Amino acid sequence: MLSRIEKYFNGELSEKEALEIQIWLAGHSDDPEVVKEIDRVFDAMSETAMEDGSCDAGSRRAFAGIRDWLGLGRASKRSADIFRRIERAAAIMAIPLMLAAGIFYMKSERPEVAWLEVNVPSGQIDTVCLADGSMLVLNSGSRVTYPQQFKGAERRVFIEGEVLADIAKDPEKPFIIQSGDVNVRVHGTRFDFKSYGNNNCVELLLMEGSVSLDLNCGEAPREVRMKPGDMVHYDRNTGDINLTSFNPQGFKTFANGSLHFINLKMSDIAKDLERIFDVRIAIMDKALADTRILAFFSNNEDLDQILSSMNTDRKMKIRKKDGIIYLSSSR
C-alpha cells in the first residue's frame, strides 16, 4: 500500500482503489513508515507546484491552508498531531476534499473552487446556508466543509458531527454528504444525520423525502435505502446495521432544544453530553459504558436533570470532582 500513496494523492487510482487506500490510511495512522511517506509526498508536491509556477496563486493559497490545517510542515508537531487529525478525518474525508477542491490543479483553465469550513464549538449550534438554498443546522462539536458554489455533476459536502439538513431539490445534481466511510445520497429531503469521529455509532433519521445510506466498509460496501420514518443505526466497530422506525410527525430535533438517545450505548451518550454541555465525563467501568439507553428530552433539561432521569433505577453512581463527572455502576 505504501507504494500507492503517491498515486492516490496524484489522482491516478480508480475510485475503488482510492477508497481502499483511504480506509487503509485511517487504520495505519500510527505506522512510522506511513507518516514518513505522507510527509515525503506532500513535500514533493508542494515544492514542485510552488517552485515551477505550475500552480496559480489561488491554488498556492489553498494548498498552504490545507497544509496548515493538517499540521504539515511544522516539524515540532508533525507525527502525533498530523495523524490524530488524519485518523479522525483527513485520510477518509479531508484528503479526498483536497483532490475535489482542486488544490493541486495545475492547469489554469480548470475552474477553481473555493472551499469553506465551519467549526461549531462545544455547547453551541450554528446554521449554514449553501449556494443551492440547502440549510444545514450543525450541532455542537460539528464541522462542515463545503464549496462556495456547486460545480460539476453533484453537490458534495464533508461533515463530521451532527446535522439537521433541509436539502433543496435538484434532480440534475444529487446531493451527497460524505463522513468518513459513510455517504448519504439525498434527493431533496429533511433528515437528522449524526456521525462524530470519536463515536462508534452513526445515526440517520429521515423525516421527509428519500435517501440512501452508503457504507463503504470492509470488502463489501453496503447500501441502505430509506423512506420517511426510517431510522438507521450503524456500528462502525461491529459493522452491524439496525433499521427501525419512528414517528416523524412532530419529532423534535436538537435544533428545537430536544435530545434523543435511542438504544445508544452509555459511552456514546457521554460523548454527546460532553459536546453539548462542554464538560468532561468519565465512565469508570465497561459494564456501564456498554449499557444501552432509551431516553428523550424536550424541555431544555440541564445536564444534572438528564443524568438524574437516566438514573431513576439508582444503578448508576454520579460523582463530580475537579470539574470532571465520574459515572460508575452502583455496587
Side-chain angles (χ1 to χ4, degrees):
M1 280 289 191
L2 280 174
S3 63
R4 298 168 67 184
I5 290 178
E6 186 167 5
K7 292 182 178 180
Y8 171 71
F9 282 112
N10 287 329
E12 298 172 0
L13 300 180
S14 68
E15 184 176 349
K16 181 180 178 181
E17 291 171 332
L19 176 60
E20 288 174 352
I21 199 166
Q22 288 168 25
I23 295 173
W24 182 84
L25 281 169
H28 292 76
S29 60
D30 294 324
D31 188 334
E33 292 300 316
V34 174
V35 176
K36 182 178 178 180
E37 181 64 7
I38 291 281
D39 279 349
R40 185 194 69 77
V41 171
F42 268 79
D43 287 341
M45 294 181 78
S46 61
E47 289 172 6
T48 300
M50 306 307 163
E51 291 178 6
D52 68 9
S54 59
C55 201
D56 62 22
S59 296
R60 284 195 288 270
R61 287 194 300 271
F63 182 87
I66 291 294
R67 284 181 64 93
D68 288 342
W69 184 68
L70 290 178
L72 294 166
R74 284 175 270 175
S76 63
K77 298 180 67 179
R78 269 191 158 171
S79 298
D81 286 352
I82 292 170
F83 274 91
R84 270 197 297 272
R85 293 177 222 175
I86 285 182
E87 181 175 37
R88 183 181 71 244
I92 292 180
M93 183 166 65
I95 290 173
L97 170 59
M98 285 186 282
L99 298 177
I103 291 170
F104 301 124
Y105 277 12
M106 301 304 177
K107 296 182 179 180
S108 59
E109 65 268 18
R110 290 188 179 182
E112 182 178 331
V113 179
W115 287 83
L116 307 174
E117 183 171 279
V118 173
N119 290 274
V120 184
S122 294
Q124 298 184 30
I125 293 176
D126 203 354
T127 301
V128 174
C129 182
L130 304 180
D132 64 347
S134 297
M135 298 292 294
L136 305 178
V137 183
L138 303 169
N139 207 348
S140 59
S142 299
R143 177 178 66 197
V144 59
T145 306
Y146 61 98
Q148 192 172 42
Q149 296 290 331
F150 290 108
K151 298 182 180 180
E154 65 181 24
R155 298 171 289 165
R156 183 180 293 264
V157 301
F158 298 82
I159 287 177
E160 180 184 355
E162 183 173 12
V163 58
L164 176 64
D166 194 345
I167 305 302
K169 292 183 179 179
D170 186 347
E172 302 301 320
K173 284 190 177 184
F175 192 100
I176 299 172
I177 290 177
Q178 184 168 335
S179 183
D181 55 349
V182 176
N183 287 347
V184 180
R185 295 181 178 271
V186 185
H187 310 286
T189 190
R190 187 170 183 265
F191 58 91
D192 188 320
F193 175 62
K194 181 163 66 175
S195 175
Y196 285 97
N198 62 347
N199 279 37
N200 292 325
C201 182
V202 175
E203 180 181 82
L204 178 58
L205 293 84
L206 180 59
M207 288 82 162
E208 300 174 10
S210 63
V211 301
S212 59
L213 184 66
D214 298 329
L215 305 173
N216 301 312
C217 52
E219 297 181 356
R222 290 173 286 177
E223 178 186 18
V224 181
R225 296 192 178 188
M226 301 175 62
K227 62 183 184 299
D230 282 348
M231 173 175 57
V232 169
H233 285 117
Y234 164 58
D235 190 316
R236 281 193 168 111
N237 262 356
T238 65
D240 292 341
I241 300 173
N242 184 28
L243 177 62
T244 56
S245 61
F246 72 104
N247 183 5
Q249 299 299 321
F251 183 83
K252 291 185 177 181
T253 69
F254 69 87
N256 306 115
S258 176
L259 291 176
H260 63 268
F261 303 119
I262 304 174
N263 198 34
L264 292 185
K265 290 183 178 180
M266 190 65 200
S267 55
D268 284 331
I269 292 175
K271 292 171 185 174
D272 283 344
L273 295 176
E274 284 183 326
R275 285 186 289 266
I276 293 167
F277 293 101
D278 195 16
V279 297
R280 290 183 60 193
I281 299 175
I283 301 179
M284 305 308 294
D285 59 84
K286 188 176 187 302
L288 179 58
D290 290 340
T291 298
R292 292 189 176 273
I293 303 289
L294 173 64
F296 294 86
F297 304 94
S298 58
N299 297 308
N300 292 305
E301 289 87 349
D302 61 26
L303 180 58
D304 288 337
Q305 291 172 321
I306 290 173
L307 291 176
S308 177
S309 177
M310 291 192 294
N311 194 33
T312 53
D313 56 5
R314 303 301 179 189
K315 292 184 178 180
M316 183 168 64
K317 183 178 179 181
I318 304 170
R319 182 170 60 94
K320 298 179 182 180
K321 183 179 180 180
D322 299 329
I324 302 174
I325 299 173
Y326 294 91
L327 305 179
S328 59
S329 299
S330 297
R331 303 292 183 183

